[in-house]
Amino acid sequence: MSKNQCNVDQILAELLANHAQKSYHHLVKQAMRKHLKLIEHDNDPHSHYELGRIYHLGKGGVKKDLEKAYQHYQIASDNHHPVAPYYLCQMIGDHEDRKDPNKIRFITPSNKLIDIKVRLLIQAAACGAYCKAEQMFSYYLASSKLWQDGINRYHQWLNEQIQCEQDQVELARWYHYLGFIAYKKGTISGLTESRQYYRQAHHYFGQAGKLGCAASYYYLGYWLYRLKIGYDDHDYDQLAQQYLYKAAQQGHIMSKLLIIKDYRQHYSTQLMIDYLTASSSYAFSIVMYYLGIIYFRGVTGIVERNYPLALHYFKLAVANSEIETFPFPTSCMYYSLGLMHHYGLGIHRHYNHASYYYYLALQKNNDAYSHYASWQIGKLIQKKRLSSCDDIQVAIRCYKRARLINQFNGYGCYRLAKLIGKYPQALPLTQDISSTYYFKLAIKCSSLSPYYKGLIYEYGLGVDVDLNEARIFYTNAIEQDGMFCDIYTAHLANKARQKMNLIQVGKCNL
């Protein structure tokens, strides 16, 4: 981190950090009340899980309480939540773990503890990649004789259950667990032995799938075929997609999300929205964010634009838990809330609150949204919208913050050009560069949204007025809009549509 970036981050922390933290705490407590209502109404497993996370981590200023966390995880786990068993596994230990502040249940002897942990970890890992249970299982399987023995005992128990089980749902589960164990043994074995394990996994997953276990089709599609292991044919991608679709159609949430992420171009918009809506039964942050985007932009003939509902989902996206293995920048969720408050979308315009959420986005990741947030804070300061600061020099530092990283150069140049045009003496004499220079530099930056390039040509900012060029860039901005695009792109696409309409009827104020 450069000295200049460090300085502006320190300034913004002094201005916004306390208020931003209070805003986050408020969102968590709002979400907590919602989860309590859902539990009261239908004992919702995911709400139990979310409350477990809140008490486990002490999220949102809530007092950390491992006993309450354990109780909520246990109820969620008993109702087949895909992540809760993973955290239960981490909260139990033997007598040697009594000094560990993160352990709350103690079980002896060691083999009994291992047996319980094996079952919990397989229960979580075999559901899909919702958490790091599979990685933990692989580590213990490869490195611990105690765990290897415990897994073999469970394997033997599963085979015994299959011989006498009458319930089809339970039978499907036991076959699926056998498939999972065979698959994981294959990943740590030599070439010849691994192929035998993979064939076993194919057999068990196939049996479980026929009996109605959606997670087995997920493993066949996403792991065995997609990774091209244990299968002698060339139609890997097609088979991966087919099995994921089977899993999704049978209700497997991770498969629905993976199809939305990787294969949505092959399916109808209606089906993708149906999948997303169904996925909200596990209200992970990414699901809430995507639902927020859907209602923010609307989908012609399917979903009407609804800013208040979009705001509701963005709030839950910030407060709820992430899918650890599903990479997604949480900064975009905070940025979305900032933008909604900034422009009064679904809520009364509130610049100070916008700045708090932008600040949280800025802190989360050193990515695009972090830099967008820095620019937006600078813009609010420049336009004297904040009660905490109206110092032009702080605005300049916000604009320059992202220019230190080339890929985020464009909008920083654009904002600096606008600022210099209004305050020619704002930069020190040693940096006496005209606004024209920055506008021309912004146009050259691929990172600058076409919407802003359209503005530059429409209003002749550092270039000659050219409405044809403006239309081209506005059209490009509109074309970037998509069903699951980010809120930054969707918002600028909406503004570009408005500009196009004004240009076409000759009402542009040039």
Side-chain angles (χ1 to χ4, degrees):
M1 183 183 294
S2 72
K3 182 178 180 181
N4 287 336
Q5 182 176 336
C6 183
N7 288 341
V8 72
D9 285 353
Q10 183 177 348
I11 292 168
L12 294 179
E14 292 171 359
L15 293 172
L16 303 173
N18 288 337
H19 292 294
Q21 184 183 53
K22 289 178 183 177
S23 296
Y24 172 69
H25 288 181
H26 178 68
L27 290 180
V28 171
K29 289 183 172 74
Q30 275 187 329
M32 197 173 181
R33 289 192 290 271
K34 177 180 175 63
H35 294 312
L36 288 168
K37 286 182 180 179
L38 288 171
I39 286 171
E40 183 180 353
H41 182 259
D42 62 0
N43 203 33
D44 177 57
H46 191 78
S47 289
H48 276 295
Y49 169 73
E50 290 291 351
L51 287 173
R53 296 304 287 149
I54 289 170
Y55 285 118
H56 195 170
L57 301 175
K59 286 174 64 175
V62 174
K63 186 178 179 180
K64 191 172 181 178
D65 190 325
L66 295 185
E67 186 60 46
K68 286 184 178 179
Y70 190 92
Q71 291 171 8
H72 283 294
Y73 287 150
Q74 187 66 66
I75 296 171
S77 178
D78 291 344
N79 287 277
H80 308 296
H81 190 275
V83 185
Y86 170 64
Y87 289 108
L88 285 175
C89 183
Q90 294 182 48
M91 297 177 79
I92 60 176
D94 58 20
H95 68 279
E96 294 180 358
D97 296 318
R98 288 188 179 276
K99 292 183 179 180
D100 186 340
N102 295 310
K103 306 292 186 188
I104 196 169
R105 294 288 187 274
F106 303 97
I107 299 164
T108 53
S110 309
N111 61 340
K112 183 178 180 181
L113 172 64
I114 293 298
D115 287 347
I116 293 172
K117 286 198 165 198
V118 164
R119 295 187 181 212
L120 287 171
L121 213 50
I122 289 178
Q123 184 183 341
C127 287
Y130 295 94
C131 60
K132 295 180 180 178
E134 187 172 335
Q135 293 93 316
M136 182 180 287
F137 183 88
S138 297
Y139 171 78
Y140 286 129
L141 177 62
S143 63
S144 170
K145 181 66 166 57
L146 278 175
W147 272 78
Q148 291 164 7
D149 291 343
I151 291 166
N152 288 334
R153 286 194 296 272
Y154 189 46
H155 187 278
Q156 181 179 348
W157 181 87
L158 290 169
N159 276 315
E160 292 170 357
Q161 295 303 114
I162 283 175
Q163 302 306 315
C164 61
E165 184 62 67
Q166 299 296 315
D167 184 86
Q168 182 171 307
V169 174
E170 290 298 292
L171 187 59
R173 182 176 293 116
W174 306 146
Y175 271 122
H176 178 63
Y177 289 169
L178 283 171
F180 174 79
I181 292 171
Y183 160 63
K184 295 311 297 181
K185 284 186 175 181
T187 63
I188 65 167
S189 301
L191 181 61
T192 302
E193 192 176 6
S194 68
R195 292 183 68 82
Q196 294 175 351
Y197 280 126
Y198 290 141
R199 282 195 289 269
Q200 290 177 22
H202 272 276
H203 168 71
Y204 288 132
F205 285 145
Q207 290 292 103
K210 290 175 184 176
L211 291 168
C213 180
S216 287
Y217 287 136
Y218 159 81
Y219 265 97
L220 281 170
Y222 194 69
W223 292 108
L224 296 182
Y225 289 131
R226 192 168 184 267
L227 296 181
K228 304 179 181 180
I229 55 177
Y231 179 66
D232 298 319
D233 209 328
H234 60 280
D235 298 326
Y236 291 108
D237 292 336
Q238 185 178 353
L239 283 166
Q241 184 180 336
Q242 288 175 0
Y243 277 107
L244 277 177
Y245 178 73
K246 278 187 176 183
Q249 289 297 94
Q250 291 189 17
H252 192 256
I253 301 301
M254 179 59 72
S255 295
K256 294 178 190 289
L257 292 176
L258 288 169
I259 286 176
I260 290 170
K261 176 177 174 285
D262 295 333
Y263 299 106
R264 61 176 177 263
Q265 68 273 18
H266 301 298
Y267 300 97
S268 70
T269 300
Q270 180 67 67
L271 182 64
M272 295 302 94
I273 292 174
D274 290 345
Y275 277 3
L276 188 59
T277 304
S279 299
S280 64
S281 59
Y282 291 157
F284 292 108
S285 60
I286 188 172
V287 178
M288 299 294 97
Y289 175 75
Y290 277 147
L291 282 169
I293 288 293
I294 290 294
Y295 284 102
F296 179 86
R297 65 182 300 277
V299 180
T300 304
I302 301 176
V303 176
E304 290 187 12
R305 178 177 291 158
N306 187 327
Y307 286 140
L309 193 53
L311 182 70
H312 166 75
Y313 282 121
F314 288 144
K315 287 180 178 180
L316 287 174
V318 164
N320 284 7
S321 302
E322 303 169 33
I323 297 177
E324 292 181 353
T325 56
F326 207 99
F328 200 78
T330 54
S331 53
C332 70
M333 302 172 189
Y334 292 100
Y335 180 86
S336 300
L337 281 178
L339 186 140
M340 299 290 278
H341 285 81
H342 188 163
Y343 294 98
L345 304 173
I347 194 170
H348 292 301
R349 192 186 298 258
H350 200 304
Y351 297 121
N352 286 330
H353 285 177
S355 71
Y356 306 151
Y357 293 121
Y358 287 146
Y359 177 77
L360 290 169
L362 186 149
Q363 296 301 301
K364 270 294 177 182
N365 301 91
N366 191 30
D367 62 8
Y369 298 99
S370 170
H371 296 289
Y372 297 160
S374 180
W375 301 329
Q376 293 286 27
I377 293 171
K379 184 177 178 180
L380 289 170
I381 293 171
Q382 177 191 336
K383 295 194 171 186
K384 303 185 185 302
R385 304 296 195 193
L386 301 185
S387 60
S388 57
C389 182
D390 61 0
D391 188 340
I392 294 299
Q393 295 303 319
V394 176
I396 291 172
R397 290 188 180 191
C398 288
Y399 297 149
K400 286 186 172 183
R401 182 182 187 274
R403 291 188 62 244
L404 301 172
I405 302 176
N406 289 334
Q407 71 183 101
F408 305 119
N409 195 19
Y411 190 64
C413 290
Y414 176 84
R415 290 307 316 169
L416 277 172
K418 296 273 284 186
L419 184 147
I420 294 167
K422 189 169 184 179
Y423 304 100
Q425 306 304 318
L427 290 179
L429 292 177
T430 55
Q431 300 177 25
D432 187 14
I433 301 174
S434 69
S435 61
T436 298
Y437 168 83
Y438 280 114
F439 278 129
K440 288 183 176 180
L441 188 60
I443 289 174
K444 295 178 182 179
C445 293
S446 60
S447 63
L448 182 65
S449 166
Y451 169 74
Y452 291 108
K453 293 182 181 182
L455 288 180
I456 289 173
Y457 279 103
E458 179 186 340
Y459 293 100
L461 303 175
V463 298
D464 293 334
V465 171
D466 190 331
L467 292 185
N468 287 329
E469 282 293 308
R471 289 189 188 94
I472 291 171
F473 283 118
Y474 288 145
T475 301
N476 290 343
I478 293 167
E479 289 173 347
Q480 288 182 356
D481 192 12
M483 184 167 61
F484 294 108
C485 70
D486 59 89
I487 193 172
Y488 177 78
T489 302
H491 178 61
L492 294 183
N494 287 340
K495 296 178 76 170
R497 290 186 187 96
Q498 295 169 11
K499 282 291 185 181
M500 285 289 283
N501 290 336
L502 289 173
I503 289 177
Q504 288 167 2
V505 298
K507 293 183 178 179
C508 287
N509 179 18
L510 299 177

